[in-house]
Amino acid sequence: MWDVIVVGGGPCGLSAATYLKRFNRQVLVLSNEDSILKKKNLQIDNYFGVNLENGTLLIDNTMAKLQTLGVQVEKETVLDIVSIDGFLRVITNKQSILTKYVVLGIGLNYSSKVKNVQKYLGKGISYCASCDGFFYLNKTIGLFGSGDYLLHELDILKNITNKILIFTPDELKLPKYQIIPTKDLKLQGTQTLEAVLANNQLYPIDGLFIADDSPGILGFAGKLGLELKNNSIVVDQDYATSIKSIYAGGDCIGGIKQITKASYDGMMIAYAINQRLNNE
Amino acid sequence: MWDVIVVGGGPCGLSAATYLKRFNRQVLVLSNEDSILKKKNLQIDNYFGVNLENGTLLIDNTMAKLQTLGVQVEKETVLDIVSIDGFLRVITNKQSILTKYVVLGIGLNYSSKVKNVQKYLGKGISYCASCDGFFYLNKTIGLFGSGDYLLHELDILKNITNKILIFTPDELKLPKYQIIPTKDLKLQGTQTLEAVLANNQLYPIDGLFIADDSPGILGFAGKLGLELKNNSIVVDQDYATSIKSIYAGGDCIGGIKQITKASYDGMMIAYAINQRLNNE
């Protein structure tokens, strides 16, 4: 049983992990190394104390520090989080782990490969098979995505309908389903989603599930029932989400998109969780 | 006329200055280079993105960045700030400058050379000659400190009484006053301050003014009438003090004493002031 599992390898998650370890808490970091800082290797100009560093270096420095401190960091994709008997079970592409608290430092993880997503949110687009799948009982579903997260969502959807079109850049062999190889998708429909366009061909569908990289803000919010506002996770003054054992910080809770802010969020979350562990 | 004068060369002040310059504001930094990060050359372990760096390096990196950005940084001690016609006049040991806004990132600047200060605050100890001097009309006053700030405070006190004992490590030639060479002081008195001990000799006094380094939290609060709570400067949710054109952040407003927090405060102050300048 971990005290805290941190989901995300950006400034919020790694800052939270650093402080939690210093508070002598059992903390595990799950990061698919997709922090935007590293992905885009951004030049860092505004962050106090560093001069013209790049994003990759900041992440690598902190990862090296966490290793020195003895913090376990695993390169795993989180597929789901489930509440069980007052604890949280975190399901990754490799294992299933119990923890008392979870920190979501998941960034702004919308699929950029599907255009115009905002227009159809709640109108045919879903990021969560377990939450919304049942609305499409025996209907025609599109599933866009890749990797373990795609397969995880498919596992849920296959019991709801057998009319599933899989849009993916992966080389998949799943004879029961129609697989359309594509790297991106366009959405069509006047009020609600009616069809998707891939490789210049139109596929009429009733709903599209996006399972790209990891659940992200909308996926976790849907799966867990976290309150959202303007597509950001709502947190209280102590950074607890509407589920009080799940904390969130950084870009996924909105506000200024700056390292200074995200690392501050992570630090404050560590203080808040440490206080709650002290009070147990 | 400056848009903003930043008082202090630590994470809060330098972070505020960086962001304000990027917002294309006219910003001047006044720093006597006494940030605790540099003074103590602290090893930095918790701050996101850097690995086993030292405090001096973080300050030097940021100073170099500010120079690249074209931000003017002056090594001056701020002696006083005065409200004039809706603007602020900042008085340093070298000049007097007008500005629209001031950011106080002055750290925890209590005199460590006078022991037991907290016990006698408001009971014979003052950090502000212009606020409290008159209470000691024609009484015997001690003045502890050094440098320009000492002389600035003496300039005010000399019109209030001619019984002034100056305790200082400086080599001063001021024939009208008794000068006691000392680096530190001990305070004595049952309820209120009754005497000070320097070089094992007791000096009975009615009140002691401390003018060490710069006004610090208690000095500025007194001079300006800033609201204090637990010896920290009170700020609102936008980091404005009880004087709305003066902002404060970092250690001087209380809270967690961490670089992450102080640099966050500085960033938020820059956003808040920039918004107000936009609305002008």
Side-chain angles (χ1 to χ4, degrees):
Chain A
M1 169 79 74
W2 294 92
D3 289 326
V4 187
I5 289 180
V6 171
V7 183
C12 173
L14 300 189
S15 183
T18 305
Y19 277 92
L20 284 163
K21 182 65 183 183
R22 292 200 174 277
F23 295 148
N24 201 26
R25 300 302 179 184
Q26 300 299 314
V27 55
L28 169 68
V29 177
L30 300 175
S31 163
N32 51 10
E33 288 196 57
D34 270 331
S35 166
I36 194 167
L37 279 188
K38 188 157 182 168
K39 221 188 296 189
K40 301 205 171 178
N41 193 23
L42 299 172
Q43 181 181 313
I44 309 304
D45 280 341
N46 289 352
Y47 187 55
F48 170 77
V50 304
N51 196 3
L52 298 175
E53 306 246 6
N54 60 59
T56 297
L57 189 59
L58 294 185
I59 297 286
D60 290 350
N61 280 343
T62 309
M63 286 294 188
K65 173 162 59 184
L66 289 172
Q67 194 170 30
T68 309
L69 290 171
V71 174
Q72 196 178 330
V73 180
E74 297 296 341
K75 197 171 172 176
E76 297 181 20
T77 304
V78 173
L79 305 176
D80 210 344
I81 301 173
V82 185
S83 289
I84 291 178
D85 297 338
F87 298 109
L88 296 164
R89 180 171 292 283
V90 176
I91 298 148
T92 80
N93 58 334
K94 292 184 180 163
Q95 57 178 330
S96 162
I97 332 163
L98 273 181
T99 183
K100 295 178 184 169
Y101 297 96
V102 161
V103 176
L104 297 177
I106 54 180
L108 277 183
N109 201 0
Y110 303 117
S111 176
S112 56
K113 296 155 196 160
V114 183
K115 306 295 173 204
N116 229 5
V117 161
Q118 307 292 332
K119 184 178 171 186
Y120 298 103
L121 274 179
K123 297 172 182 172
I125 290 280
S126 170
Y127 282 82
C128 178
S130 59
C131 346
D132 300 328
F134 195 74
F135 297 126
Y136 298 94
L137 195 68
N138 295 323
K139 293 191 172 173
T140 303
I141 292 174
L143 174 58
F144 175 83
S146 61
D148 293 307
Y149 188 43
L150 173 85
L151 298 176
H152 178 80
E153 297 293 88
L154 179 61
D155 237 25
I156 296 163
L157 293 174
K158 70 184 181 187
N159 298 314
I160 291 167
T161 178
N162 54 14
K163 290 172 278 185
I164 300 178
L165 285 68
I166 300 176
F167 302 87
T168 179
D170 296 357
E171 288 188 20
L172 290 182
K173 288 186 182 164
L174 298 165
K176 290 173 71 175
Y177 307 100
Q178 184 180 353
I179 295 177
I180 300 102
T182 183
K183 287 182 181 168
D184 48 35
L185 273 190
K186 282 184 186 162
L187 307 180
Q188 296 209 345
T190 45
Q191 292 296 321
T192 59
L193 183 69
E194 292 162 12
V196 296
L197 192 72
N199 311 322
N200 290 316
Q201 197 176 330
L202 206 62
Y203 299 87
I205 53 173
D206 297 306
L208 177 71
F209 288 80
I210 298 177
D212 201 23
D213 298 328
S214 71
I217 294 175
L218 301 171
F220 282 123
K223 288 171 194 294
L224 288 156
L226 300 182
E227 190 184 342
L228 287 182
K229 189 175 175 183
N230 299 326
N231 295 325
S232 296
I233 298 173
V234 174
V235 294
D236 66 15
Q237 61 190 13
D238 290 325
Y239 293 86
T241 67
S242 50
I243 296 177
K244 294 304 170 194
S245 56
I246 300 181
Y247 288 73
D251 288 355
C252 69
I253 63 166
I256 302 168
K257 287 173 189 45
Q258 292 287 309
I259 301 171
T260 306
K261 184 262 191 188
S263 56
Y264 174 81
D265 290 352
M267 177 188 74
M268 296 303 283
I269 289 169
Y271 274 86
I273 292 178
N274 188 52
Q275 188 63 51
R276 284 185 61 189
L277 286 165
N278 278 338
N279 294 343
E280 271 178 9
Chain B
M1 167 82 74
W2 294 92
D3 290 326
V4 188
I5 290 180
V6 172
V7 183
C12 174
L14 300 189
S15 183
T18 305
Y19 277 92
L20 284 163
K21 181 65 183 181
R22 292 201 174 277
F23 294 148
N24 202 25
R25 300 304 181 183
Q26 300 299 316
V27 56
L28 169 68
V29 177
L30 300 174
S31 163
N32 50 11
E33 289 197 57
D34 269 330
S35 166
I36 194 166
L37 281 187
K38 190 157 182 169
K39 222 188 296 189
K40 300 205 171 177
N41 193 24
L42 298 172
Q43 180 180 316
I44 308 305
D45 282 339
N46 288 353
Y47 187 56
F48 170 78
V50 304
N51 196 2
L52 298 176
E53 306 245 7
N54 60 59
T56 297
L57 189 59
L58 294 184
I59 296 287
D60 290 351
N61 280 343
T62 310
M63 286 294 187
K65 174 162 57 184
L66 289 173
Q67 194 169 28
T68 309
L69 291 171
V71 175
Q72 196 178 331
V73 180
E74 297 296 339
K75 196 172 174 177
E76 296 180 20
T77 304
V78 174
L79 304 176
D80 211 344
I81 301 173
V82 186
S83 289
I84 292 178
D85 298 335
F87 298 110
L88 296 163
R89 180 171 291 285
V90 176
I91 297 149
T92 79
N93 58 332
K94 292 184 182 163
Q95 55 179 331
S96 161
I97 332 163
L98 272 182
T99 183
K100 294 178 185 170
Y101 296 97
V102 162
V103 177
L104 297 176
I106 52 180
L108 278 183
N109 201 0
Y110 303 117
S111 176
S112 56
K113 297 157 197 157
V114 183
K115 306 295 173 203
N116 230 3
V117 161
Q118 308 292 333
K119 183 178 172 187
Y120 298 101
L121 275 178
K123 297 172 183 172
I125 290 280
S126 171
Y127 283 81
C128 176
S130 58
C131 348
D132 301 329
F134 195 74
F135 298 127
Y136 299 94
L137 195 68
N138 294 324
K139 292 190 173 174
T140 302
I141 291 175
L143 175 59
F144 176 83
S146 61
D148 292 307
Y149 188 44
L150 173 86
L151 298 176
H152 178 80
E153 297 292 88
L154 180 61
D155 238 24
I156 297 163
L157 294 174
K158 70 184 181 189
N159 300 315
I160 291 165
T161 177
N162 54 14
K163 288 172 278 182
I164 300 178
L165 285 70
I166 299 175
F167 301 88
T168 181
D170 296 357
E171 286 188 22
L172 290 182
K173 286 185 185 167
L174 298 165
K176 290 173 71 177
Y177 307 101
Q178 184 179 353
I179 295 178
I180 300 102
T182 184
K183 287 181 180 168
D184 48 35
L185 273 191
K186 283 183 183 161
L187 307 180
Q188 296 210 343
T190 46
Q191 292 295 320
T192 59
L193 182 69
E194 292 162 13
V196 295
L197 192 72
N199 310 322
N200 289 317
Q201 196 176 332
L202 206 61
Y203 299 88
I205 53 174
D206 297 305
L208 178 71
F209 288 81
I210 298 177
D212 201 22
D213 300 329
S214 69
I217 294 175
L218 301 171
F220 281 124
K223 287 170 195 296
L224 289 155
L226 301 180
E227 192 185 341
L228 286 182
K229 190 174 175 184
N230 299 326
N231 294 325
S232 295
I233 297 172
V234 173
V235 294
D236 66 16
Q237 62 190 12
D238 290 325
Y239 295 84
T241 67
S242 51
I243 295 177
K244 294 306 169 193
S245 56
I246 300 182
Y247 288 73
D251 288 355
C252 69
I253 63 167
I256 302 168
K257 286 173 191 45
Q258 292 287 310
I259 300 172
T260 306
K261 184 262 190 187
S263 56
Y264 174 81
D265 290 351
M267 177 188 73
M268 296 303 284
I269 289 170
Y271 274 87
I273 292 178
N274 188 53
Q275 188 63 52
R276 285 185 61 189
L277 286 164
N278 279 338
N279 294 343
E280 269 178 13

